[in-house]
Amino acid sequence: MSGKKRKRNSVDKTRQLARLLLWGLGIVLAVVFFAVVVATHNHKMEKLADNSAAIYQIHGIDVSHHQGKINWDKVCRATLHKKTISFVFVKCSEGKTKLDKFYKRNREEVRKHHLKFGAYHFFTPGCSPREQALLFIHNSGLKNGDLRPVLDVENKGKISKQQLIEDVLEWLKIVGKHYNCMPILYTSHTFRTHYLNDERISHYPFWKAHYQVGGIITGKNWTFCQYSRRGHVAGIKDGKNNYVDLNVFKNTPEDLAALTLGE
């Protein structure tokens, strides 16, 4: 190969490499820009939701092992929109075998501090709903005065929509029969509309995960609303850099009492 040809090939390769680097840089910048836009939009939406939560009188949180060891003395003294925390939902179980390692401690502490206590089960699609229900029943330790049990449904898994509906209903019926109540269903409005839009499910009290869409809290067909997953509460880690889910109850203290076991 002649020297000129080798030089020309070298220049062509350099140019190709430069073009590839420019394309790669462009893609990276586009991804970063998109991420910033999405994050900014989500922050604005969550700010709107947080502001709209201020009109409600009854506030609460939900926790799991993700919050670590909680200082419940500090939590009881904390306020959300100048209102003390009234209720706490605690993760008890998941699937047919998993138990939250902080559940028993959190349950004892919430009751000790005279907050309304509730327990939830994280549903695993494709896993026996009966076994999931029994795991929750055998480990929740719910008693009269506690809030009704909660089923947390967040994904469809690999099963059909109809199978998901039937499995969710089976869990709700087994647990409801055991505690003589209608359990509470937790999910997002979008997920409920797309995958759980069944008349039989619509009768159960709805705890709406609103943070996924953000904005002003709207709608009438909800009982509890989780309006932020990035709240800060004293007693949960340092109270400034660690997150906890924030919730409101739509109605009166008497209505909240009516949702407890034994009522």
Side-chain angles (χ1 to χ4, degrees):
M1 182 183 292
S2 68
K4 287 184 177 179
K5 193 171 184 179
R6 282 197 298 269
K7 185 176 181 180
R8 188 163 57 248
N9 287 342
S10 177
V11 170
D12 288 343
K13 289 180 180 178
T14 301
R15 288 174 176 171
Q16 289 176 1
L17 180 60
R19 282 196 292 267
L20 287 173
L21 288 174
L22 286 172
W23 271 103
L25 179 61
I27 291 172
V28 170
L29 290 175
V31 169
V32 170
F33 176 76
F34 180 75
V36 170
V37 169
V38 170
T40 302
H41 173 75
N42 288 344
H43 177 74
K44 289 180 179 178
M45 291 299 99
E46 289 183 8
K47 188 66 177 176
L48 283 173
D50 185 69
N51 289 340
S52 68
I55 69 172
Y56 297 96
Q57 299 303 308
I58 302 176
H59 291 252
I61 59 176
D62 62 274
V63 302
S64 69
H65 63 278
H66 292 296
Q67 278 67 49
K69 190 175 181 180
I70 297 171
N71 184 326
W72 288 101
D73 289 333
K74 289 185 177 180
V75 170
C76 280
R77 295 194 296 270
T79 58
L80 295 170
H81 298 287
K82 299 182 180 180
K83 302 171 184 74
T84 56
I85 292 169
S86 299
F87 63 88
V88 181
F89 285 110
V90 179
K91 182 179 180 181
C92 170
S93 50
E94 178 177 343
K96 62 180 183 179
T97 59
K98 296 180 182 179
L99 297 174
D100 191 287
K101 65 180 180 180
F102 283 107
Y103 176 70
K104 288 185 177 180
R105 179 184 188 275
N106 286 331
R107 180 183 64 196
E108 292 171 3
E109 289 293 318
V110 171
R111 287 173 175 164
K112 173 184 171 183
H113 287 84
H114 306 293
L115 301 170
K116 285 291 183 189
F117 170 76
Y120 73 88
H121 174 84
F122 190 89
F123 192 74
T124 301
C127 181
S128 166
R130 178 173 180 78
E131 290 185 54
Q132 294 193 64
L134 293 178
L135 177 70
F136 177 83
I137 289 169
H138 292 157
N139 292 279
S140 69
L142 289 175
K143 60 184 183 181
N144 286 348
D146 291 334
L147 291 167
R148 296 182 190 182
V150 177
L151 179 61
D152 177 346
V153 186
E154 300 185 23
N155 59 82
K156 188 178 77 69
K158 297 181 179 180
I159 62 177
S160 68
K161 170 184 169 180
Q162 193 55 45
Q163 187 62 57
L164 178 67
I165 289 172
E166 297 304 327
D167 288 353
V168 165
L169 281 168
E170 184 174 353
W171 191 99
L172 293 170
K173 288 175 181 177
I174 292 171
V175 173
K177 182 177 180 181
H178 180 81
Y179 292 106
N180 192 31
C181 72
M182 293 190 74
I184 299 165
L185 175 67
Y186 167 95
T187 191
S188 69
H189 172 76
T190 301
F191 191 89
R192 186 185 189 210
T193 301
H194 288 173
Y195 300 112
L196 299 174
N197 56 335
D198 188 283
E199 183 67 23
R200 295 169 294 172
I201 290 178
S202 66
H203 299 297
Y204 288 88
F206 179 31
W207 175 9
K208 178 171 70 170
H210 185 76
Y211 67 84
Q212 294 174 328
V213 294
I216 297 171
I217 300 172
T218 59
K220 298 179 180 179
N221 64 337
W222 58 272
T223 304
F224 294 93
C225 180
Q226 183 188 81
Y227 64 89
S228 176
R229 58 178 173 174
R230 291 201 281 229
H232 300 294
V233 171
I236 296 179
K237 300 292 180 66
D238 64 4
K240 296 179 180 179
N241 300 305
N242 305 101
Y243 296 132
V244 65
D245 298 334
L246 305 180
N247 302 270
V248 291
F249 177 69
K250 185 167 66 172
N251 298 315
T252 66
E254 292 74 22
D255 293 321
L256 183 64
L259 282 174
T260 57
L261 297 177
E263 290 295 320

